[in-house]
Amino acid sequence: MNRLAPSRAALERYFPILTWSKTYNKDTLTSDVVAAVIVTIMLIPQSLAYALLAGLPAEMGLYASILPLVAYAIFGTSRALAVGPVAVVSLMTAAAVGNLGLATPAEYAIAAGTLAFISGAILLAMGFLRLGFLANFLSHPVIAGFITASGVLIATSQLKHIFGIKAEGHNLIGMIGSLLSHLGETSILTLLIGVFSVGFLFWVRKGLKPMLLNNGVKPRLADILAKAGPVAAVVATTLVTVIFGLNNHGVAIVGDVPMGLPPLTLPSLNGEIWSQLFVSALLISIIGFVESVSVAKTLAAKKRQRIVPDQELIGLGASNVAAAVTGGYPVTGGFARSVVNYDAGAETPAAGAYTAIGILLAALVLTPLLYFLPKATLAATIIVAVLSLVDFSILSKAWGYSKVDFAAVAATILLTLGSGVEVGVSAGVLLSIGLHLYKTSRPHVAEVGLVPNTQHFRNIKRHKVETIPGVVSLRVDESLYFANASFLEDYVADRVVCDEPIKDVILQCSAVNELDLSALESLEALNHRLKDMKINLHLSEVKGPVMDRLQRSHFLYEMTGKVYLAQWDAWQAMKAIHGSEISEPSAPESVENPSVAAD
Amino acid sequence: MNRLAPSRAALERYFPILTWSKTYNKDTLTSDVVAAVIVTIMLIPQSLAYALLAGLPAEMGLYASILPLVAYAIFGTSRALAVGPVAVVSLMTAAAVGNLGLATPAEYAIAAGTLAFISGAILLAMGFLRLGFLANFLSHPVIAGFITASGVLIATSQLKHIFGIKAEGHNLIGMIGSLLSHLGETSILTLLIGVFSVGFLFWVRKGLKPMLLNNGVKPRLADILAKAGPVAAVVATTLVTVIFGLNNHGVAIVGDVPMGLPPLTLPSLNGEIWSQLFVSALLISIIGFVESVSVAKTLAAKKRQRIVPDQELIGLGASNVAAAVTGGYPVTGGFARSVVNYDAGAETPAAGAYTAIGILLAALVLTPLLYFLPKATLAATIIVAVLSLVDFSILSKAWGYSKVDFAAVAATILLTLGSGVEVGVSAGVLLSIGLHLYKTSRPHVAEVGLVPNTQHFRNIKRHKVETIPGVVSLRVDESLYFANASFLEDYVADRVVCDEPIKDVILQCSAVNELDLSALESLEALNHRLKDMKINLHLSEVKGPVMDRLQRSHFLYEMTGKVYLAQWDAWQAMKAIHGSEISEPSAPESVENPSVAAD
C-alpha cells in the first residue's frame, strides 16, 4: 500500500460525503427531494430579499443559494443544515461594504464577493488549524443580544421599502430620524402593498396552518402550504403590480434580473480593500459559524448525530469560497430554513444539493417573472422573518441570573442598536472577556473550619465549625494565575495582621485548578513575608496537575510548612502542634440557606 | 461638627503624610537626611543620563527629580520609594515622542512633558476609580521578560555615545546595523573615556566596597563611597576633558545646561498630540506603576508596613503631573535608588523631599560644572545600571515550569527587541490573557471513582478506585463559563456514547467556582440531550455561591437528576438504585507519583 496516499479515515474526515453516501438509497433520496422542494419554495423569496437587505442586486441572493449549498453538501457534517444568505450576515455585509464608500453598484457587488472570499479563507484556515474553539468566546447571552438587536435594526431598515421612501442610517436613531424626515414622501400604493404583505405573512405564520388542519387538510400538505406563504405574497403582489401598472404610480419594483447560470466571478485583488474588509470578514465568519453550529448541534442532537465543529468550519469556508466565485456574497447556515429542512424530512446533506438545483432552475427560468415584484413585498418577507429573532427576554433572564451577564447583553444590544453590528458584537465579546477576567482577578476566599464530628471543612461564615487558635485555614475558590496572584498574597498578608497571634496559615487548594508562574512567584513572596513574621505556610488538597508543576519548582523546598494530602491531615497535624485548644463551634456570622449552601 | 467636612480618615487615606508626620521627630529627621544625601549623590548623574536616554536635554532629568519627589512625599504610601526618571520609562518616552516626528528639540521637550501630564492624569483617574487591580494583568514573567529586553535595548542604544558615533534604530537589529555601519567614524578619545567609565563603574559596583572594608573603612562609609562611584567618574572625566580640551578633539560633551529653578511649563493642548500619545501614556503608566509598586511592596514587607496600591496610583499620578508642570518628563519609583534609600535608613517619604532639595541645589549651583561632562560618561552610567536589570534566566525558569508562561515571556522578549517596547509589552499582556483563556476553555475533566474504604473520590486514571457500572462520575476542574460551556457539553455527550449503557451522569462540582449564563444554558442543553438518551444528570458538591445562582434559574426544576451535597451522598444513592454491582478496584491506567498526586 502506498503510505503516502491519504488514509480512508482522513479522507472521510475532510469529505463527510464519503461517509453518508455509502448508505444512500431510494428512501433517503425521496426524503431529501421532498425536503429540497419545500426549502426551495421558502428560499427563493428569502434569497432575493436578503440580497436587497445587503444592498445588492436581487440575483446575487439566488447565486448565493446554488454552488454554496453543493459545497456544504460535500464538506459539511450536519445532515439538516440549510446554507445560504441569512438576515444577520446580510446586514453585516451591508455594513462592511457600505464602509468602503464605493461609487458604483458593480464595485459594491465585487466587494461583497471579496468579503465572501476572505470570510471563506478565514473559515478554512480556522478549520485546518482546528480553531473552532474560538467561537466559544462569543457567549450565549452576547449572541442572543446581538441577534435581537440585529433583528430590530434589520426590520427598521426595511421600513423605507414599506413606505416607498428613501432613508438612510447605520444605527437605530439615524434610521428612525431619516424615516421620519422623509415620511411626507410616502407612496400610498407601496404602503398598501407593504402592509398587506406584512399582515398576510404574519397570518400565514400564525393562523393558516391551524385553519387548514381544522378544514381537514393533511398535516404535511398544510405545512407545505404555510411555508409557501411568502411565494403566494410574491405572486399576488407581482400580479397586482402588472395588472394595474403600479410601477408607473410610485411602487418600486425589483426590475431586470439577469436570466441564466451564475456568473464566474473573481474576488478583488486590491490589497487595500482586503485590509479594509478583513476585520468585518472575521466578525462575519465567527458570527456565521456560531449561528450555524448552534443550529446544527440542536438538530443533530435530536437524532443522536454528531457535529464536528472544525469540519463545519471547512464546510462553511468552502461554501463562502463557492459563493465568492459564482457571483454570491457571504453565506452561512440559517436557523429557520434548517428547521424547515429537518422537519420536512431531510436525511442527508444531499437535500441541500437538490435545493441548489431548485434555485438554479429558478435562476434559469423564473427571473423574468420577478421584474414586476414590488420591493415592499420583499421587505415584508424580511420583516416577518427577522421579528421572530427578536427576543428581549434575554435581558430579564440575564438580569435575574447574573449582573455580569446582564452587563454584557445590555452593552451588546445598546451598542448594536446605537453604533452598528460590528461595534456591538465586538464590544460584547470584549466586555464578556473583560468581566470574566475581572471576576477571576478577585476570587472568593473562604476561611474554613471543621464541621464537628466529620472530616469536612466549611466556610466559617456559613456553618458552625471548629477552629484552632493561631491557625488560619483559607480555601481559595479560583485557579491562581497572574491576574489574581497578588490579590491572594495581599489577602493573606492582611488577614494575619490581627490581634490574635497567628502561627500557621493553611491554603486549601481543592479549587485551584491551575497555578502559573506569576502565582508561584507570589506564593514564594507570601512564604517569605510570612516567614519574616514567623508564620508557617502550608498547603492542602493540591490537585495532581498542580502538584506535578510545583515539584518542578524550588518552592516546596523553600516553603516553611508542609503539603498535606487532605485538609483533615493538616488539621490533625496542627492540633498536635498547638495542643488541644480548639475553640468551641460558634454560630456563623451569617447563614444563607444553610441546608443547600454546600460551600 | 460640620458633616460636609471630610473625615480625618478620608483625609488620611488621600494624604498619607498626615499619618506619618504625626510621629515625626529628630531621629527620623536625621535618618531621612542621611538617606537623602546618599540618594542625591546617586541621582544627579542618573537624572542627567536618563534624560539623555529619553532624547531630552540633560536638565530635564534634574527637573524631573525635584517637584515629583515632593508630590510623592505628600501622596505616596511607601516609606522608602525613591521617585524620579528611570531607565525603562525613559526608553518608552523616547519611543513615544520619537513616533511623533517632531521637528525641533523644543517641541520634543513639550511632548515629553505632555506625556508626563497624560500619564499623571491616567494614574490619578485609575487611583480615584480604584483600578489598581488592572496592573495584575501584567504577569510577573511578562514584566521580567520586558525589563530584561528593555535593558538590552537601552544598553545597545548607549553604545553610540561610547563610540562617539551617530546611530539610530528602534529595535535591536536596526541599532546594531546602524552602529556597525558607522563604526568607522569612531572617536578614539571618546571610546577611551567610555570604556574607562564602564570599567570603573563595574569595578566600583563589584570590587570597591569589599576592598574598602578590607582596608578597615567602616561599612556605612564604604557604602556611601561605593554609591558615589558614578559621581567620581563624572568628576574625573569632566576634569580630563577640561584639562586636555578633549571637546575640541571629537569628544561629545553635555554643553550648556541652564542654571536656576525648574521652569513652569504647560502641557501641549493640541488634541492630535494627545490622541497620538494616549496609548503610550497608558503603557508608561501601567509599566511604571507595576515596577514601582513591586519595589514598594518588597521594601514595605521587610518592616511589616503596608502599601495601598490605589493610593500609590494617586502618589505616582501627582508626581507625573508635578513633572509635567516643572519642565520634567514621566517618572516613577526606581528599583535601585529605592533600595539605596531603604538601606541608607530612610524612615519616611520626607527623605524624598530632602532629596528634592539636594537636586534643586544641584540645579541652582552645579549646572555650569556639567558643561564639559562627556556624554560617554553618562552612557557608561546607564549601561552599568541597566545591565543589572538584564536577567535571561526567566526564560529557563518559565520553560521548566510551564510552556504557557514560557511562550508569553519569549514573545515579550523577542517582540520588545524586534519591534520596540510598546509592541513588546502589549503583545506580552495580550498573549498571557489569550493563553489563559485558551487553557480555561479546555478544562481538565477527571473521571472519578471511590477510593476503597474511604469517602474520597479520585481520578480513575491515577488511583485504584471502585466504580458503579452504568454510572459516570466526572469532576470538572474549572469554573464553567462561556469559553468552556460547550466543551463540557460535548465532552459529556461524547463520553456517554459507549458500549456500556450509561444510566446516570454525576458532575462533581467541587472546583466549579462560577457558572455563568452561557454555562447554565449549556447545562440545560446537556440535560435535554441526556434526557433524550434516557440518562439522568446529577450534580454534587456544588458550592454556596454557585448554588445560590442556580436557585435563581429554572434549571433545578428541569434537571432529570438531583443535587447531592457530597459526592459520597450521590454514590450511595446510585448504589441503592443500581444494586450492589460495584466493579472491583482495578489498577489505574497510569500512575504518576501516587504518593503525592492528590488529584
Side-chain angles (χ1 to χ4, degrees):
Chain A
M1 188 185 149
N2 183 351
R3 301 191 67 196
L4 286 175
S7 70
R8 177 93 195 162
L11 268 179
E12 286 187 359
R13 159 158 158 57
Y14 286 112
F15 296 91
I17 190 174
L18 296 175
T19 312
W20 56 261
S21 61
K22 281 186 284 192
T23 56
Y24 208 77
N25 58 31
K26 215 178 128 188
D27 287 348
T28 21
L29 177 70
T30 314
S31 305
D32 284 350
V33 168
V34 171
V37 169
I38 297 175
V39 174
T40 304
I41 292 171
M42 181 182 175
L43 202 49
I44 292 175
Q46 270 199 2
S47 299
L48 301 168
Y50 290 148
L52 194 79
L53 167 59
L56 297 167
E59 66 270 19
M60 283 183 79
L62 294 177
Y63 299 158
S65 308
I66 301 174
L67 202 61
L69 279 67
V70 178
Y72 185 82
I74 298 170
F75 297 102
T77 60
S78 165
R79 308 224 162 174
L81 194 73
V83 171
V86 305
V88 173
V89 168
S90 298
L91 178 68
M92 294 179 81
T93 301
V97 179
N99 284 341
L100 299 178
L102 298 172
T104 68
E107 285 179 309
Y108 202 92
I110 291 174
T114 307
L115 188 65
F117 190 83
I118 304 173
S119 172
I122 291 173
L123 289 164
L124 286 172
M126 286 173 69
F128 287 120
L129 298 173
R130 310 205 172 191
L131 297 181
F133 73 91
L134 280 181
N136 296 334
F137 288 97
L138 211 54
S139 77
H140 293 202
V142 166
I143 297 172
F146 176 69
I147 299 280
T148 288
S150 300
V152 171
L153 273 189
I154 293 169
T156 311
S157 76
Q158 297 306 302
L159 287 178
K160 63 182 178 200
H161 295 300
I162 301 289
F163 286 89
I165 58 182
K166 290 203 186 305
E168 290 180 334
H170 285 296
N171 62 38
L172 193 65
I173 308 292
M175 282 181 191
I176 291 175
S178 182
L179 276 175
L180 290 178
S181 68
H182 290 87
L183 214 55
E185 303 152 19
T186 300
S187 150
I188 299 295
L189 287 173
T190 308
L191 186 60
L192 279 174
I193 291 176
V195 170
F196 160 77
S197 300
V198 169
F200 173 74
L201 291 173
F202 267 119
W203 172 75
V204 163
R205 193 170 267 255
K206 302 281 175 192
L208 179 63
K209 197 173 154 188
M211 199 192 76
L212 290 173
L213 292 175
N214 285 342
N215 287 313
V217 178
K218 283 187 183 159
R220 189 71 178 257
L221 186 62
D223 216 39
I224 297 180
L225 288 173
K227 293 292 177 310
V231 171
V234 164
V235 171
T237 55
T238 304
L239 283 178
V240 168
T241 309
V242 174
I243 292 167
F244 298 102
L246 297 185
N247 52 316
N248 298 322
H249 297 86
V251 173
I253 55 172
V254 168
D256 266 327
V257 178
M259 189 166 69
L261 289 170
L264 204 66
T265 50
L266 281 178
S268 161
L269 295 175
N270 180 333
E272 203 184 326
I273 288 194
W274 274 61
S275 68
Q276 285 174 315
L277 288 177
F278 186 81
V279 173
S280 303
L282 185 67
L283 288 174
I284 287 176
S285 303
I286 293 183
I287 292 277
F289 173 63
V290 169
E291 226 194 307
S292 181
V293 161
S294 67
V295 182
K297 269 192 194 166
T298 310
L299 297 179
K302 296 193 184 183
K303 289 197 177 173
R304 296 208 181 194
Q305 291 161 349
R306 234 178 131 248
I307 297 299
V308 184
D310 287 329
Q311 181 61 24
E312 281 300 285
L313 284 165
I314 292 175
L316 293 174
S319 295
N320 275 292
V321 172
V325 298
T326 56
Y329 72 100
V331 295
T332 193
F335 179 73
R337 80 190 60 158
S338 298
V339 173
V340 167
N341 196 31
Y342 178 89
D343 287 344
E347 293 273 352
T348 74
Y354 305 150
T355 304
I357 296 174
I359 305 281
L360 181 66
L361 290 174
L364 287 175
V365 179
L366 298 181
T367 46
L369 306 179
L370 299 173
Y371 185 87
F372 287 100
L373 170 58
K375 286 188 174 176
T377 310
L378 292 181
T381 316
I382 295 178
I383 289 174
V384 175
V386 297
L387 284 185
S388 67
L389 302 177
V390 173
D391 178 9
F392 281 101
S393 73
I394 182 67
L395 277 173
S396 60
K397 189 173 179 189
W399 177 261
Y401 186 72
S402 138
K403 299 301 170 283
V404 167
D405 281 309
F406 176 79
V409 181
T412 307
I413 291 181
L414 286 177
L415 284 166
T416 303
L417 292 178
S419 308
V421 277
E422 299 191 348
V423 173
V425 74
S426 309
V429 171
L430 293 179
L431 194 63
S432 308
I433 293 176
L435 289 170
H436 171 73
L437 291 173
Y438 175 73
K439 275 188 293 182
T440 61
S441 77
R442 314 191 146 197
H444 180 239
V445 179
E447 185 161 348
V448 295
L450 181 70
V451 181
N453 308 319
T454 71
Q455 299 180 10
H456 289 299
F457 292 81
R458 301 283 176 176
N459 192 338
I460 60 171
K461 291 196 181 159
R462 286 187 185 244
H463 300 269
K464 272 196 171 188
V465 291
E466 294 170 0
T467 54
I468 305 177
V471 178
V472 174
S473 296
L474 297 172
R475 194 195 62 216
V476 195
D477 285 350
E478 193 62 66
S479 290
L480 296 177
Y481 76 112
F482 57 90
N484 59 28
S486 63
F487 175 89
L488 180 71
E489 188 185 333
D490 294 342
Y491 186 98
V492 175
D494 283 353
R495 172 62 188 84
V496 296
V497 179
C498 62
D499 298 337
E500 189 191 0
I502 304 295
K503 296 285 179 198
D504 292 272
V505 171
I506 307 166
L507 294 182
Q508 187 187 340
C509 302
S510 46
V512 175
N513 304 308
E514 206 224 304
L515 200 145
D516 77 354
L517 189 52
S518 298
L520 176 72
E521 292 185 357
S522 209
L523 269 189
E524 286 171 348
L526 179 62
N527 185 47
H528 280 131
R529 282 165 78 168
L530 293 179
K531 193 177 182 180
D532 285 346
M533 303 181 187
K534 300 202 167 54
I535 299 173
N536 297 314
L537 176 67
H538 311 270
L539 304 179
S540 78
E541 303 194 3
V542 181
K543 297 189 184 206
V546 174
M547 197 67 197
D548 291 350
R549 189 151 282 177
L550 282 181
Q551 285 174 327
R552 271 183 262 152
S553 76
H554 280 279
F555 177 66
L556 296 180
Y557 303 98
E558 289 164 18
M559 211 171 82
T560 48
K562 284 188 181 176
V563 179
Y564 295 95
L565 218 68
Q567 177 65 18
W568 171 245
D569 300 334
W571 173 272
Q572 287 178 307
M574 290 302 116
K575 227 168 59 175
I577 295 168
H578 296 279
S580 55
E581 25 157 346
I582 289 170
S583 78
E584 282 301 295
S586 58
E589 289 172 36
S590 70
V591 180
E592 305 160 33
N593 299 324
S595 60
V596 288
D599 71 69
Chain B
M1 187 185 148
N2 183 351
R3 300 191 68 195
L4 286 174
S7 70
R8 177 95 195 161
L11 268 179
E12 286 187 358
R13 158 156 158 58
Y14 287 112
F15 296 91
I17 190 173
L18 297 176
T19 312
W20 57 260
S21 60
K22 282 186 284 192
T23 56
Y24 208 77
N25 58 31
K26 213 177 128 187
D27 286 347
T28 19
L29 176 71
T30 314
S31 303
D32 284 350
V33 168
V34 171
V37 169
I38 297 175
V39 174
T40 304
I41 292 172
M42 181 182 174
L43 202 49
I44 293 175
Q46 271 199 1
S47 299
L48 301 168
Y50 291 149
L52 194 79
L53 167 60
L56 297 166
E59 67 269 19
M60 284 184 78
L62 293 178
Y63 299 159
S65 308
I66 301 173
L67 201 62
L69 280 68
V70 178
Y72 184 82
I74 298 170
F75 297 103
T77 60
S78 166
R79 307 225 163 173
L81 194 72
V83 170
V86 306
V88 173
V89 168
S90 298
L91 178 68
M92 293 179 82
T93 300
V97 179
N99 284 341
L100 298 179
L102 299 171
T104 67
E107 285 180 308
Y108 203 92
I110 291 175
T114 307
L115 189 65
F117 190 83
I118 303 174
S119 172
I122 291 173
L123 289 164
L124 286 172
M126 285 174 70
F128 288 120
L129 298 174
R130 308 204 174 193
L131 297 180
F133 73 92
L134 280 182
N136 295 334
F137 288 97
L138 210 55
S139 77
H140 294 201
V142 166
I143 298 172
F146 176 68
I147 299 280
T148 288
S150 300
V152 172
L153 273 188
I154 293 169
T156 311
S157 76
Q158 297 306 303
L159 288 178
K160 64 182 177 198
H161 296 300
I162 301 288
F163 285 89
I165 57 182
K166 290 203 187 306
E168 290 180 335
H170 285 296
N171 61 38
L172 193 64
I173 309 291
M175 282 181 192
I176 292 175
S178 183
L179 276 175
L180 291 177
S181 68
H182 291 87
L183 214 56
E185 303 151 20
T186 300
S187 150
I188 298 296
L189 287 173
T190 308
L191 186 60
L192 279 175
I193 291 176
V195 170
F196 160 77
S197 300
V198 169
F200 173 74
L201 290 172
F202 267 119
W203 171 75
V204 164
R205 194 170 266 256
K206 302 282 176 191
L208 179 63
K209 197 173 154 188
M211 198 193 77
L212 291 174
L213 292 174
N214 284 342
N215 287 313
V217 179
K218 284 187 182 160
R220 189 73 178 257
L221 186 62
D223 216 38
I224 297 179
L225 288 174
K227 293 292 179 307
V231 172
V234 163
V235 172
T237 56
T238 304
L239 284 177
V240 169
T241 309
V242 174
I243 293 166
F244 298 103
L246 297 185
N247 52 316
N248 299 322
H249 297 86
V251 173
I253 55 172
V254 169
D256 266 327
V257 177
M259 189 166 71
L261 289 171
L264 204 66
T265 51
L266 281 178
S268 161
L269 295 175
N270 179 332
E272 201 183 327
I273 288 194
W274 273 61
S275 68
Q276 284 174 315
L277 288 178
F278 186 79
V279 173
S280 303
L282 185 68
L283 289 173
I284 287 176
S285 303
I286 293 184
I287 292 278
F289 173 63
V290 169
E291 225 194 307
S292 180
V293 161
S294 68
V295 182
K297 269 192 193 166
T298 310
L299 297 179
K302 294 193 184 184
K303 290 198 176 175
R304 296 208 182 192
Q305 291 161 348
R306 233 176 132 249
I307 297 298
V308 184
D310 288 329
Q311 180 61 24
E312 281 300 285
L313 283 165
I314 292 175
L316 293 175
S319 295
N320 275 291
V321 171
V325 298
T326 56
Y329 71 101
V331 295
T332 192
F335 179 74
R337 80 190 60 157
S338 299
V339 172
V340 168
N341 196 32
Y342 178 89
D343 287 343
E347 293 273 351
T348 75
Y354 306 149
T355 305
I357 296 173
I359 305 281
L360 180 65
L361 290 175
L364 287 174
V365 179
L366 297 181
T367 46
L369 306 178
L370 298 173
Y371 185 88
F372 287 100
L373 171 57
K375 287 189 174 176
T377 309
L378 292 180
T381 315
I382 295 178
I383 289 174
V384 175
V386 297
L387 283 186
S388 68
L389 302 177
V390 174
D391 179 8
F392 282 101
S393 72
I394 182 67
L395 278 173
S396 60
K397 189 174 180 188
W399 177 261
Y401 186 71
S402 139
K403 300 300 170 282
V404 166
D405 282 309
F406 176 79
V409 181
T412 306
I413 292 181
L414 286 177
L415 284 166
T416 303
L417 292 178
S419 308
V421 278
E422 299 191 348
V423 173
V425 74
S426 310
V429 171
L430 293 179
L431 194 64
S432 307
I433 293 176
L435 288 171
H436 171 73
L437 292 172
Y438 175 72
K439 276 188 292 180
T440 60
S441 77
R442 316 191 144 195
H444 180 239
V445 179
E447 185 161 347
V448 295
L450 181 70
V451 181
N453 309 318
T454 73
Q455 299 179 11
H456 289 299
F457 292 81
R458 300 284 176 174
N459 192 337
I460 60 171
K461 291 195 181 160
R462 287 187 183 243
H463 300 268
K464 272 195 171 189
V465 292
E466 293 170 359
T467 54
I468 304 177
V471 178
V472 175
S473 296
L474 297 172
R475 194 196 61 217
V476 195
D477 285 351
E478 193 62 65
S479 291
L480 295 177
Y481 76 113
F482 58 89
N484 59 28
S486 63
F487 175 88
L488 180 70
E489 187 185 334
D490 295 342
Y491 186 97
V492 176
D494 283 354
R495 172 62 187 84
V496 297
V497 179
C498 62
D499 298 336
E500 188 192 2
I502 304 295
K503 296 284 178 201
D504 292 273
V505 171
I506 307 165
L507 293 183
Q508 186 187 341
C509 301
S510 47
V512 175
N513 305 308
E514 206 224 306
L515 201 144
D516 75 355
L517 189 53
S518 299
L520 176 71
E521 292 185 358
S522 208
L523 269 189
E524 286 170 349
L526 178 62
N527 185 47
H528 280 131
R529 282 165 78 168
L530 292 179
K531 194 176 183 179
D532 286 347
M533 302 180 187
K534 299 200 167 58
I535 300 173
N536 296 314
L537 177 66
H538 310 271
L539 304 180
S540 78
E541 304 196 3
V542 181
K543 297 188 184 206
V546 174
M547 198 67 198
D548 292 349
R549 188 151 282 177
L550 282 181
Q551 283 173 327
R552 271 183 263 152
S553 76
H554 280 278
F555 176 65
L556 296 181
Y557 303 99
E558 290 164 18
M559 212 172 79
T560 47
K562 284 187 180 175
V563 179
Y564 295 96
L565 217 70
Q567 176 66 17
W568 170 245
D569 300 333
W571 174 271
Q572 287 177 307
M574 291 302 117
K575 228 167 59 173
I577 296 168
H578 296 279
S580 56
E581 23 157 348
I582 290 170
S583 78
E584 283 300 297
S586 59
E589 288 172 36
S590 71
V591 180
E592 304 160 35
N593 299 325
S595 61
V596 288
D599 70 71

